[in-house]
Amino acid sequence: QQPVQSPQAVILREGEDAVINCSSSKALYSVHWYRQKHGEAPVFLMILLKGGEQKGHEKISASFNEKKQQSSLYLTASQLSYSGTYFCGTGAHGSGNTGKLIFGQGTTLQVKP
Amino acid sequence: KAGVTQTPRYLIKTRGQQVTLSCSPISGHRSVSWYQQTPGQGLQFLFEYFSETQRNKGNFPGRFSGRQFSNSRSEMNVSTLELGDSALYLCASSAGVSGELFFGEGSRLTVL
């Protein structure tokens, strides 16, 4: 089942912070975050795994609450380059499911000068 | 290191025709996944191939098929095209262990 992202859209001024949430009705094994700019491919931001392991870019932070089946992406001191659509994708357990992600509907973030 | 390459980037077909899309993964990546992206449905998983074997399949009709070659390059085929098949088709490769997906820029299919 598709995870639900909130909010659907955010408008920020440079330097402001934002939080994007991703909730699932199913138990989560892994949560992936990607950013897609208009006309471009989605770009990896972060993976959070059950058990606490995280892999991602230094300037991006995220949390993974296994009990609540929820992940949040934290964007601090936003820059114009942060603009784009953010997707969370949930992954199933096992190395055999690496490429199969169920993506949320996306959150559009616009950062203004 | 070259990224994921998809061809063609744009194509226009008519209903009833078939189409084949190609994806060359990052060198060394053995997992290739395909996704369909539309404004209404978002990013939807089509299938994943690993070492020439399909190991995951999404909820799409049998008109959608794929394969992977020994060099990890992958193709997907859509037969008997329908208007609703108009979409951006994204290919992603993965080294497997890390789970990070590297997406290509996609093939934009328009069905008239």
Side-chain angles (χ1 to χ4, degrees):
Chain A
Q1 193 160 353
Q2 185 181 39
V4 177
Q5 290 184 231
S6 62
Q8 288 190 328
V10 183
I11 299 177
L12 299 173
R13 293 286 181 188
E14 273 189 291
E16 293 182 336
D17 302 338
V19 179
I20 301 172
N21 299 306
C22 175
S23 298
S24 174
S25 59
K26 295 177 67 174
L28 297 176
Y29 173 73
S30 67
V31 179
H32 301 224
W33 287 96
Y34 290 82
R35 177 174 61 213
Q36 185 178 30
K37 294 181 180 287
H38 184 69
E40 298 182 9
V43 174
F44 169 78
L45 295 176
M46 177 163 284
I47 291 177
L48 302 104
L49 302 174
K50 185 176 182 178
E53 185 178 358
Q54 295 186 12
K55 302 173 187 176
H57 296 282
E58 294 179 0
K59 294 188 177 182
I60 301 287
S61 64
S63 64
F64 183 10
N65 188 320
E66 295 174 28
K67 284 188 177 180
K68 291 186 177 180
Q69 296 167 183
Q70 179 177 340
S71 176
S72 296
L73 185 70
Y74 304 97
L75 303 168
T76 56
S78 59
Q79 305 170 17
L80 294 176
S81 62
Y82 286 11
S83 294
T85 301
Y86 290 76
F87 293 96
C88 71
T90 57
H93 177 71
S95 60
N97 294 301
T98 305
K100 180 180 179 182
L101 297 178
I102 308 300
F103 283 97
Q105 78 280 19
T107 295
T108 301
L109 178 75
Q110 184 181 4
V111 181
K112 294 186 174 182
Chain B
K1 197 174 188 180
V4 177
T5 304
Q6 293 189 244
T7 57
R9 291 290 315 281
Y10 303 91
L11 65 167
I12 300 174
K13 295 284 187 179
T14 57
R15 280 181 298 174
Q17 287 186 310
Q18 74 166 12
V19 65
T20 299
L21 309 177
S22 179
C23 172
S24 293
I26 291 173
S27 178
H29 287 190
R30 296 163 64 189
S31 167
V32 174
S33 301
W34 289 89
Y35 288 83
Q36 181 195 66
Q37 186 173 30
T38 59
Q41 300 297 320
L43 276 161
Q44 291 190 290
F45 173 77
L46 280 157
F47 27 65
E48 178 191 7
Y49 287 86
F50 183 86
S51 293
E52 302 179 66
T53 301
Q54 186 184 87
R55 67 178 183 183
N56 278 300
K57 189 176 189 303
N59 189 26
F60 278 81
R63 300 185 296 107
F64 292 81
S65 63
R67 59 178 175 168
Q68 187 180 33
F69 302 95
S70 59
N71 62 357
S72 292
R73 189 178 71 85
S74 177
E75 288 181 347
M76 68 163 282
N77 184 76
V78 187
S79 62
T80 320
L81 285 166
E82 301 176 359
L83 296 178
D85 296 333
S86 294
L88 180 66
Y89 290 89
L90 292 163
C91 166
S93 74
S94 170
V97 176
S98 69
E100 175 182 355
L101 299 184
F102 295 84
F103 284 90
E105 293 192 326
S107 292
R108 184 167 294 281
L109 170 66
T110 302
V111 182
L112 302 176

